[in-house]
């Protein structure tokens, strides 16, 4: 145990070389003493500062001067100082071990490695600027629930910061050392639901949304009243597979639960006086096997996740083909889906061009009917246009930016083979084009008739 724990080395400040005193944990995950914080840093007034850890690779640091003492590390450093003072040094590592000093030390340290949310040994530890440490999934859950740290009630940083923040390196390292030393059991980062090993998921709570949300789509979900909030809370899923909090969303449950839905990953939370606004992004689709209602308001389901890569990709069966044949057919099918994606992208560019007809001219062209402003807005809201070499992304992106009815979106969500989905989007484009041309011709004919009457 002795050489594996090495607490003295771990708790030595990288800046001053002493045992950490009033330690603060920076957003890059490194811990230094408060007095080692760069006071004369040119950007000290702002949250952004130059990191005093020379090996640090983080591009930016948050909450510089406002960082409070890391409560867990501060306690552990105190324990170590007391131990070093009481231990009749110098003892050899063997003597330390045989006299039970190290055992006592690790037993004293373990309680401070617990999460402030779930009170178990922290998994992927994140320390807020208030100095309290949680598992990443626990702090995200706390942020959604109340917006405040549940120890000191100070407001927590933004959800997106917490989900991207580096782990507390020192706490993670201490946990690992104690696990190898046998003083702590090994914990797993796998969560029970939406784990990485399984596409078949059992007993997952469903979130019923008013909208069909597609993979890759960004969406703002408002949660207003108490009933809705309850449903939202009971359907939140901490997921190791998507490394964050998720919702398994279906767009309706009456008269019948929608059979296909989308896993939404929560990427932002804003607490407003009258509502919580939840920023989500669609990830994989799922297909329901069965569902049941529990305590009236909550639906639970068994479903199969349909990540794009796992789908028999192009919906083509390959009876008794050799591996070489299958590869060739797949390559051909990929080539075809890239062609379809290219057609879709051309149409969208065509709609978003500046019209080449003078203003006020009646014409039956569809070029530019939605215009450059629409095009720019779509890119801002839904992200950059995917490349045709990612046909699946093109299909979802196009479906979101085109004016599409919810029923059609659901039709797309439930179409499994990629080529079929791309062809479906193309039929919508053709229908739009035909409709537009018909409207324009009718208008032009009507005007011509009126003009003829007055000749
Ligand atoms: Zn220091
Ligand atoms: Zn740093
Ligand atoms: Zn926790
Ligand atoms: Zn706190």
């Amino acid at each position: 145990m002795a050489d594996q724990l090495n607490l003295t080395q771990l708790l030595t400040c990288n800046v001053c070389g002493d045992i950490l005193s009033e330690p603060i944990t920076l957003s890059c995950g490194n811990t230094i003493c408060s007095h080692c914080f760069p006071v004369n840093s040119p950007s000290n007034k702002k949250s952004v500062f130059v990191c005093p850890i020379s090996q640090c690779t983080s591009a930016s640091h948050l909450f510089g001067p406002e960082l409070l003492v890391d409560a867990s590390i501060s306690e552990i450093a105190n324990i170590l100082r007391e131990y070093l003072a009481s231990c009749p040094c110098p003892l050899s590592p063997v003597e330390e071990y045989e006299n039970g000093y190290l055992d006592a030390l690790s037993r004293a340290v373990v309680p401070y490695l617990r999460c402030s949310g779930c009170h178990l040994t922290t998994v992927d530890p994140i320390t807020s600027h208030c100095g309290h440490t949680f598992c990443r999934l626990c702090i995200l859950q706390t942020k959604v629930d109340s917006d405040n740290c549940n120890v000191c009630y100070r407001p927590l940083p933004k959800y997106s910061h917490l989900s991207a923040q580096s782990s507390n390196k020192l706490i993670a390292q201490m946990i690992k050392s104690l696990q190898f030393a046998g003083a702590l059991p090994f914990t797993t980062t796998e969560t029970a639901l939406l784990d990485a090993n399984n596409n078949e998921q059992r007993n997952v709570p469903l979130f019923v949304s008013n909208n069909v949300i597609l993979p890759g789509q960004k969406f703002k979900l408002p949660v207003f009243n108490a009933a809705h909030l309850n449903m939202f809370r009971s359907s939140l899923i901490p997921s190791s597979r998507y490394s964050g909090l998720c919702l398994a969303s279906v767009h309706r449950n009456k008269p019948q639960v929608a059979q296909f839905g989308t896993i939404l990953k929560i990427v932002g939370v804003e607490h407003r006086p009258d509502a919580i606004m939840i920023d989500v992004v669609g990830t994989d689709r799922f297909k329901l096997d069965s569902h049941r209602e529990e305590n009236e308001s909550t639906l639970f389901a068994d479903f199969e996740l349909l990540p794009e890569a796992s789908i028999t990709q192009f919906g083509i069966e390959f009876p008794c083909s050799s591996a070489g044949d299958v590869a060739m057919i797949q390559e051909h099918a990929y080539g075809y889906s890239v062609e379809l994606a290219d057609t879709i992208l051309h149409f969208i560019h065509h709609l978003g061009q500046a019209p080449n007809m003078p203003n006020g001219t009646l014409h039956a062209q569809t070029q530019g009917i939605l215009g450059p402003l629409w095009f720019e807005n779509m890119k801002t809201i839904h992200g950059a246009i995917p490349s045709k070499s990612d046909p699946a992304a093109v299909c979802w992106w196009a479906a979101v930016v085109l004016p599409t009815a919810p029923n059609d979106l659901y039709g797309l969500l439930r179409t499994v083979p990629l080529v079929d989905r791309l062809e479906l989007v193309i039929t919508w484009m053709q229908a739009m084009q035909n409709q537009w041309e018909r409207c324009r011709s009718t208008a032009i004919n009507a005007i011509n008739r009126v003009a003829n009457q007055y000749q």
Side-chain angles (χ1 to χ4, degrees), residues 211-230:
N211 303 82
V212 179
I213 303 168
L214 299 179
Q217 184 177 358
K218 294 180 190 166
F219 203 87
K220 233 181 208 335
L221 285 171
V223 180
F224 282 107
N225 56 39
H228 198 198
L229 191 63
N230 274 343

Side-chain angles (χ1 to χ4, degrees), residues 422-440:
L422 291 162
E423 285 179 340
L424 189 56
V425 173
I426 291 174
T427 61
W428 299 345
M429 292 173 358
Q430 284 162 345
M432 269 183 75
Q433 190 139 8
N434 291 340
Q435 194 186 12
W436 181 255
E437 280 164 9
R438 264 202 315 279
C439 290
R440 284 296 179 136

Side-chain angles (χ1 to χ4, degrees), residues 13-18 20-21 32-33 35-36:
C13 171
N14 265 323
V15 182
C16 65
D18 292 335
L20 288 163
S21 111
I32 56 170
C33 316
H35 65 80
C36 291

Side-chain angles (χ1 to χ4, degrees), residues 39-180:
V39 188
N40 297 321
S41 167
S43 50
N44 191 30
K45 285 199 190 73
K46 289 183 267 169
S47 307
V48 182
F49 57 90
V50 178
C51 186
I53 304 281
S54 54
Q55 310 91 308
C56 175
T57 50
S58 291
S60 67
H61 292 74
L62 300 163
F63 304 109
E66 304 97 82
L67 284 167
L68 297 180
V69 166
D70 185 316
S72 308
I73 295 181
S74 170
E75 290 293 344
I76 294 170
N78 287 341
I79 293 171
L80 179 69
R81 263 187 287 271
E82 275 170 33
Y83 162 77
L84 291 175
S86 70
C87 172
C89 297
L91 284 182
S92 74
V94 176
E95 285 171 320
E96 279 190 337
Y97 180 69
E98 283 176 351
N99 291 319
Y101 281 105
L102 278 163
D103 238 359
L105 179 62
S106 45
R107 262 201 309 277
V109 164
V110 163
Y112 297 100
L113 299 173
R114 290 190 191 130
C115 161
S116 299
C118 66
H119 307 291
L120 301 171
T121 302
T122 315
V123 176
D124 195 3
I126 297 296
T127 304
S128 160
H129 62 313
C130 63
H132 295 118
T133 301
F134 297 77
C135 312
R136 188 186 301 275
L137 289 175
C138 290
I139 201 167
L140 293 177
Q141 179 102 43
T142 309
K143 176 72 188 171
V144 172
D145 279 346
S146 72
D147 209 17
N148 298 322
C149 170
N150 56 10
V151 182
C152 65
Y153 305 107
R154 288 186 177 85
L156 289 171
K158 272 186 169 177
Y159 187 97
S160 53
H161 291 166
L162 293 170
S163 77
Q165 188 174 320
S166 302
S167 316
N168 185 320
K169 294 193 176 120
L170 187 42
I171 292 189
Q173 190 56 48
M174 279 191 275
I175 292 173
K176 216 159 138 196
S177 304
L178 287 167
Q179 284 169 337
F180 278 110

Side-chain angles (χ1 to χ4, degrees), residues 20 68 115 163 191 194 239 316 328:
L20 288 163
L68 297 180
C115 161
S163 77
T191 47
L194 301 184
S239 161
I316 300 165
M328 204 183 71

